[in-house]
Short mmCIF file of all heavy atoms in Angstrom, two decimals:
data_model
loop_
_atom_site.label_atom_id
_atom_site.label_comp_id
_atom_site.label_asym_id
_atom_site.label_seq_id
_atom_site.Cartn_x
_atom_site.Cartn_y
_atom_site.Cartn_z
N GLY Y 72 -14.30 6.79 42.13
CA GLY Y 72 -15.22 6.71 41.01
C GLY Y 72 -15.22 5.36 40.33
O GLY Y 72 -14.95 4.32 40.94
N LEU Y 73 -15.50 5.40 39.03
CA LEU Y 73 -15.58 4.19 38.22
C LEU Y 73 -14.35 4.09 37.33
O LEU Y 73 -14.01 5.05 36.63
CB LEU Y 73 -16.85 4.23 37.35
CG LEU Y 73 -17.11 3.02 36.46
CD1 LEU Y 73 -17.33 1.76 37.30
CD2 LEU Y 73 -18.31 3.28 35.56
N ASN Y 74 -13.68 2.96 37.36
CA ASN Y 74 -12.49 2.71 36.54
C ASN Y 74 -12.87 1.78 35.41
O ASN Y 74 -13.51 0.74 35.64
CB ASN Y 74 -11.39 2.07 37.38
CG ASN Y 74 -10.79 3.03 38.38
OD1 ASN Y 74 -9.63 3.34 38.32
ND2 ASN Y 74 -11.58 3.50 39.33
N ILE Y 75 -12.47 2.11 34.18
CA ILE Y 75 -12.80 1.32 33.00
C ILE Y 75 -11.49 0.87 32.35
O ILE Y 75 -10.68 1.69 31.93
CB ILE Y 75 -13.62 2.15 32.00
CG1 ILE Y 75 -14.87 2.72 32.68
CG2 ILE Y 75 -13.98 1.31 30.78
CD1 ILE Y 75 -15.53 3.84 31.90
N LEU Y 76 -11.29 -0.44 32.29
CA LEU Y 76 -10.06 -0.99 31.70
C LEU Y 76 -10.07 -0.72 30.20
O LEU Y 76 -11.04 -1.07 29.52
CB LEU Y 76 -9.96 -2.49 31.98
CG LEU Y 76 -8.68 -3.17 31.52
CD1 LEU Y 76 -7.47 -2.65 32.29
CD2 LEU Y 76 -8.80 -4.68 31.68
N VAL Y 77 -9.02 -0.11 29.69
CA VAL Y 77 -8.97 0.24 28.27
C VAL Y 77 -8.13 -0.73 27.44
O VAL Y 77 -8.24 -0.75 26.23
CB VAL Y 77 -8.50 1.70 28.04
CG1 VAL Y 77 -9.48 2.67 28.65
CG2 VAL Y 77 -7.11 1.92 28.60
N ASN Y 78 -7.29 -1.52 28.08
CA ASN Y 78 -6.52 -2.52 27.32
C ASN Y 78 -7.05 -3.91 27.64
O ASN Y 78 -8.06 -4.06 28.33
CB ASN Y 78 -5.01 -2.37 27.58
CG ASN Y 78 -4.63 -2.47 29.04
OD1 ASN Y 78 -5.38 -2.08 29.92
ND2 ASN Y 78 -3.45 -2.97 29.31
N ASP Y 79 -6.39 -4.94 27.16
CA ASP Y 79 -6.86 -6.31 27.31
C ASP Y 79 -6.73 -6.77 28.76
O ASP Y 79 -5.73 -6.50 29.42
CB ASP Y 79 -6.07 -7.24 26.39
CG ASP Y 79 -6.65 -8.63 26.35
OD1 ASP Y 79 -7.56 -8.86 25.54
OD2 ASP Y 79 -6.21 -9.47 27.17
N ILE Y 80 -7.73 -7.50 29.20
CA ILE Y 80 -7.77 -7.97 30.59
C ILE Y 80 -6.63 -8.92 30.92
O ILE Y 80 -6.27 -9.10 32.08
CB ILE Y 80 -9.15 -8.60 30.90
CG1 ILE Y 80 -9.37 -8.66 32.40
CG2 ILE Y 80 -9.29 -9.96 30.24
CD1 ILE Y 80 -10.80 -8.79 32.79
N HIS Y 81 -5.99 -9.52 29.89
CA HIS Y 81 -4.90 -10.45 30.14
C HIS Y 81 -3.52 -9.80 30.00
O HIS Y 81 -2.50 -10.49 30.15
CB HIS Y 81 -5.03 -11.66 29.22
CG HIS Y 81 -6.31 -12.41 29.47
ND1 HIS Y 81 -6.58 -13.04 30.66
CD2 HIS Y 81 -7.40 -12.61 28.69
CE1 HIS Y 81 -7.78 -13.59 30.60
NE2 HIS Y 81 -8.29 -13.34 29.41
N ASP Y 82 -3.48 -8.50 29.72
CA ASP Y 82 -2.20 -7.78 29.68
C ASP Y 82 -1.58 -7.75 31.08
O ASP Y 82 -2.31 -7.72 32.09
CB ASP Y 82 -2.38 -6.35 29.18
CG ASP Y 82 -2.68 -6.28 27.69
OD1 ASP Y 82 -2.57 -7.32 27.01
OD2 ASP Y 82 -3.03 -5.18 27.22
N GLU Y 83 -0.27 -7.74 31.13
CA GLU Y 83 0.42 -7.72 32.42
C GLU Y 83 0.15 -6.44 33.19
O GLU Y 83 -0.06 -6.45 34.40
CB GLU Y 83 1.93 -7.90 32.20
CG GLU Y 83 2.69 -8.05 33.50
CD GLU Y 83 4.14 -8.41 33.26
OE1 GLU Y 83 4.46 -9.05 32.23
OE2 GLU Y 83 4.96 -8.07 34.13
N THR Y 84 0.16 -5.32 32.50
CA THR Y 84 -0.10 -4.03 33.12
C THR Y 84 -1.41 -3.48 32.58
O THR Y 84 -1.64 -3.49 31.37
CB THR Y 84 1.04 -3.03 32.80
OG1 THR Y 84 2.28 -3.61 33.23
CG2 THR Y 84 0.83 -1.71 33.49
N TRP Y 85 -2.25 -3.01 33.47
CA TRP Y 85 -3.55 -2.48 33.07
C TRP Y 85 -3.54 -0.96 33.00
O TRP Y 85 -2.83 -0.31 33.77
CB TRP Y 85 -4.62 -2.92 34.05
CG TRP Y 85 -5.02 -4.35 33.93
CD1 TRP Y 85 -4.59 -5.26 33.01
CD2 TRP Y 85 -5.95 -5.04 34.76
NE1 TRP Y 85 -5.20 -6.46 33.21
CE2 TRP Y 85 -6.05 -6.36 34.28
CE3 TRP Y 85 -6.70 -4.68 35.85
CZ2 TRP Y 85 -6.89 -7.32 34.87
CZ3 TRP Y 85 -7.53 -5.61 36.44
CH2 TRP Y 85 -7.62 -6.92 35.95
N GLN Y 86 -4.36 -0.42 32.10
CA GLN Y 86 -4.56 1.02 31.98
C GLN Y 86 -6.05 1.31 32.04
O GLN Y 86 -6.85 0.59 31.43
CB GLN Y 86 -3.99 1.53 30.65
CG GLN Y 86 -2.49 1.34 30.57
CD GLN Y 86 -1.95 1.82 29.23
OE1 GLN Y 86 -2.66 2.39 28.41
NE2 GLN Y 86 -0.67 1.59 29.00
N PHE Y 87 -6.40 2.37 32.76
CA PHE Y 87 -7.80 2.68 33.00
C PHE Y 87 -8.15 4.11 32.59
O PHE Y 87 -7.34 5.02 32.69
CB PHE Y 87 -8.11 2.57 34.50
CG PHE Y 87 -8.03 1.18 35.04
CD1 PHE Y 87 -6.84 0.68 35.55
CD2 PHE Y 87 -9.14 0.35 35.06
CE1 PHE Y 87 -6.76 -0.60 36.07
CE2 PHE Y 87 -9.07 -0.94 35.56
CZ PHE Y 87 -7.88 -1.41 36.07
N ASP Y 88 -9.40 4.25 32.14
CA ASP Y 88 -10.06 5.56 32.09
C ASP Y 88 -10.86 5.66 33.38
O ASP Y 88 -11.25 4.63 33.96
CB ASP Y 88 -11.02 5.65 30.90
CG ASP Y 88 -10.31 5.94 29.59
OD1 ASP Y 88 -9.16 6.43 29.62
OD2 ASP Y 88 -10.90 5.67 28.53
N HIS Y 89 -11.12 6.90 33.82
CA HIS Y 89 -11.82 7.10 35.08
C HIS Y 89 -13.02 8.01 34.90
O HIS Y 89 -12.92 9.04 34.24
CB HIS Y 89 -10.87 7.72 36.12
CG HIS Y 89 -9.59 6.99 36.26
ND1 HIS Y 89 -8.44 7.40 35.62
CD2 HIS Y 89 -9.26 5.86 36.91
CE1 HIS Y 89 -7.45 6.56 35.89
NE2 HIS Y 89 -7.93 5.61 36.67
N LEU Y 90 -14.13 7.62 35.48
CA LEU Y 90 -15.30 8.49 35.57
C LEU Y 90 -15.48 8.85 37.04
O LEU Y 90 -15.59 7.97 37.89
CB LEU Y 90 -16.56 7.78 35.05
CG LEU Y 90 -16.58 7.49 33.55
CD1 LEU Y 90 -17.83 6.69 33.18
CD2 LEU Y 90 -16.52 8.78 32.75
N THR Y 91 -15.49 10.15 37.31
CA THR Y 91 -15.58 10.65 38.68
C THR Y 91 -16.57 11.81 38.74
O THR Y 91 -17.13 12.21 37.72
CB THR Y 91 -14.21 11.13 39.18
OG1 THR Y 91 -13.82 12.28 38.41
CG2 THR Y 91 -13.14 10.05 39.07
N ALA Y 92 -16.73 12.37 39.91
CA ALA Y 92 -17.58 13.55 40.08
C ALA Y 92 -17.02 14.73 39.28
O ALA Y 92 -17.76 15.63 38.91
CB ALA Y 92 -17.72 13.90 41.55
N GLN Y 93 -15.74 14.73 38.99
CA GLN Y 93 -15.14 15.83 38.22
C GLN Y 93 -15.50 15.78 36.75
O GLN Y 93 -15.44 16.79 36.07
CB GLN Y 93 -13.62 15.82 38.37
CG GLN Y 93 -13.15 16.21 39.74
CD GLN Y 93 -11.63 16.23 39.83
OE1 GLN Y 93 -10.95 15.55 39.07
NE2 GLN Y 93 -11.12 17.02 40.76
N ASN Y 94 -15.89 14.61 36.24
CA ASN Y 94 -16.21 14.52 34.82
C ASN Y 94 -17.59 13.91 34.54
O ASN Y 94 -17.78 13.27 33.52
CB ASN Y 94 -15.10 13.82 34.02
CG ASN Y 94 -14.83 12.40 34.48
OD1 ASN Y 94 -15.56 11.84 35.28
ND2 ASN Y 94 -13.77 11.81 33.95
N GLY Y 95 -18.53 14.11 35.47
CA GLY Y 95 -19.91 13.78 35.17
C GLY Y 95 -20.63 12.81 36.07
O GLY Y 95 -21.85 12.74 36.04
N MET Y 96 -19.91 12.04 36.87
CA MET Y 96 -20.58 11.11 37.79
C MET Y 96 -21.22 11.89 38.92
O MET Y 96 -20.78 12.98 39.28
CB MET Y 96 -19.58 10.11 38.37
CG MET Y 96 -19.05 9.09 37.39
SD MET Y 96 -20.11 7.68 37.18
CE MET Y 96 -19.99 6.93 38.78
N GLU Y 97 -22.23 11.32 39.52
CA GLU Y 97 -22.90 11.94 40.67
C GLU Y 97 -22.05 11.82 41.93
O GLU Y 97 -22.11 12.67 42.80
CB GLU Y 97 -24.25 11.26 40.87
CG GLU Y 97 -25.12 11.89 41.90
CD GLU Y 97 -25.88 13.11 41.42
OE1 GLU Y 97 -25.86 13.42 40.22
OE2 GLU Y 97 -26.49 13.77 42.27
N SER Y 98 -21.24 10.75 42.02
CA SER Y 98 -20.46 10.48 43.24
C SER Y 98 -19.19 9.71 42.88
O SER Y 98 -19.14 9.04 41.85
CB SER Y 98 -21.30 9.67 44.22
OG SER Y 98 -20.54 9.22 45.31
N ASP Y 99 -18.21 9.76 43.75
CA ASP Y 99 -16.98 8.99 43.59
C ASP Y 99 -17.01 7.66 44.37
O ASP Y 99 -16.05 6.91 44.34
CB ASP Y 99 -15.77 9.80 44.03
CG ASP Y 99 -15.41 10.89 43.06
OD1 ASP Y 99 -15.81 10.80 41.88
OD2 ASP Y 99 -14.74 11.86 43.46
N VAL Y 100 -18.11 7.40 45.08
CA VAL Y 100 -18.28 6.15 45.80
C VAL Y 100 -19.23 5.27 44.99
O VAL Y 100 -20.40 5.60 44.82
CB VAL Y 100 -18.84 6.38 47.22
CG1 VAL Y 100 -19.05 5.05 47.93
CG2 VAL Y 100 -17.91 7.28 48.02
N VAL Y 101 -18.71 4.17 44.47
CA VAL Y 101 -19.49 3.27 43.62
C VAL Y 101 -19.67 1.94 44.35
O VAL Y 101 -18.70 1.22 44.56
CB VAL Y 101 -18.81 3.05 42.24
CG1 VAL Y 101 -19.59 2.04 41.42
CG2 VAL Y 101 -18.67 4.37 41.51
N PHE Y 102 -20.92 1.63 44.72
CA PHE Y 102 -21.22 0.41 45.45
C PHE Y 102 -21.48 -0.79 44.55
O PHE Y 102 -21.10 -1.90 44.86
CB PHE Y 102 -22.45 0.59 46.33
CG PHE Y 102 -22.21 1.34 47.61
CD1 PHE Y 102 -23.23 2.07 48.18
CD2 PHE Y 102 -20.98 1.34 48.24
CE1 PHE Y 102 -23.05 2.76 49.37
CE2 PHE Y 102 -20.78 2.03 49.42
CZ PHE Y 102 -21.82 2.73 49.98
N GLU Y 103 -22.22 -0.58 43.46
CA GLU Y 103 -22.67 -1.69 42.63
C GLU Y 103 -22.65 -1.32 41.16
O GLU Y 103 -22.82 -0.15 40.81
CB GLU Y 103 -24.10 -2.10 43.00
CG GLU Y 103 -24.24 -2.72 44.36
CD GLU Y 103 -23.58 -4.07 44.48
OE1 GLU Y 103 -23.36 -4.74 43.44
OE2 GLU Y 103 -23.28 -4.47 45.60
N LEU Y 104 -22.51 -2.33 40.31
CA LEU Y 104 -22.58 -2.18 38.86
C LEU Y 104 -23.54 -3.25 38.35
O LEU Y 104 -23.32 -4.44 38.58
CB LEU Y 104 -21.20 -2.37 38.23
CG LEU Y 104 -20.13 -1.38 38.68
CD1 LEU Y 104 -18.75 -1.85 38.25
CD2 LEU Y 104 -20.44 -0.01 38.12
N THR Y 105 -24.59 -2.83 37.66
CA THR Y 105 -25.62 -3.76 37.20
C THR Y 105 -25.91 -3.53 35.73
O THR Y 105 -26.24 -2.40 35.35
CB THR Y 105 -26.92 -3.55 38.02
OG1 THR Y 105 -26.62 -3.72 39.41
CG2 THR Y 105 -27.99 -4.53 37.60
#
Side-chain angles (χ1 to χ4, degrees):
L73 181 64
N74 290 243
I75 305 164
L76 185 65
V77 296
N78 56 329
D79 189 87
I80 199 160
H81 299 296
D82 287 351
E83 187 172 332
T84 304
W85 285 356
Q86 296 179 7
F87 293 90
D88 280 341
H89 309 98
L90 292 175
T91 66
Q93 290 182 335
N94 60 9
M96 290 276 293
E97 187 81 8
S98 171
D99 287 338
V100 178
V101 176
F102 282 152
E103 292 292 338
L104 299 167
T105 303

